Amino acid sequence: LVVAFKDVIGRTLDGKLAPSELQNSTFTISNLGMFGVQSFGPIINQPNSAILGVSATVEKPVVVNGEIVIRPIMSLTIDHRVVDGMAGAKFMKDLKALIEDPISMLV
């Protein structure tokens, strides 16, 4: 399985995926964070049901327990025309929890 992932990732980065490998998807992830983009509005690719936009992580001042502290902040956006907004919000909440505590995915 790991070898298959590495193969697909390598061909994706090289722009060598076959058109048939780009069909029948249901969800897209668009990552512009690696280019330093701090916020953007991804638009869903039909016939997908949603697209997640991942922005750059930047240090920002936030309030934690009444104190101003610097924390790494990442912006996530989602276009979810096929699913209800509440389902999209729950997905984003769950995804945020997993990103903040990736070890929880292993238990």
Side-chain angles (χ1 to χ4, degrees):
L1 188 60
V2 173
V3 173
F5 278 135
K6 286 183 179 181
D7 174 57
V8 170
I9 291 168
R11 289 185 296 116
T12 300
L13 294 173
D14 292 339
K16 296 183 178 178
L17 286 178
S20 63
E21 293 175 289
L22 298 172
Q23 297 176 354
N24 302 320
S25 63
T26 58
F27 190 91
T28 301
I29 299 174
S30 181
N31 178 8
L32 295 182
M34 64 185 151
F35 300 112
V37 175
Q38 294 183 23
S39 179
F40 68 104
I43 299 173
I44 196 169
N45 301 309
Q46 299 297 328
N48 288 193
S49 59
I51 184 169
L52 173 70
V54 180
S55 298
T57 301
V58 294
E59 291 189 340
K60 293 186 178 184
V62 295
V63 178
V64 177
N65 298 325
E67 300 286 328
I68 297 175
V69 296
I70 304 299
R71 292 283 194 260
I73 303 294
M74 173 190 287
S75 173
L76 300 173
T77 54
I78 188 168
D79 180 348
H80 55 86
R81 297 177 203 185
V82 176
V83 297
D84 179 62
M86 184 63 74
K90 181 174 180 339
F91 169 77
M92 295 291 282
K93 179 182 174 194
D94 293 344
L95 179 62
K96 176 184 176 284
L98 291 171
I99 290 171
E100 290 176 344
D101 184 21
I103 298 297
S104 66
M105 289 185 266
L106 302 174
V107 273

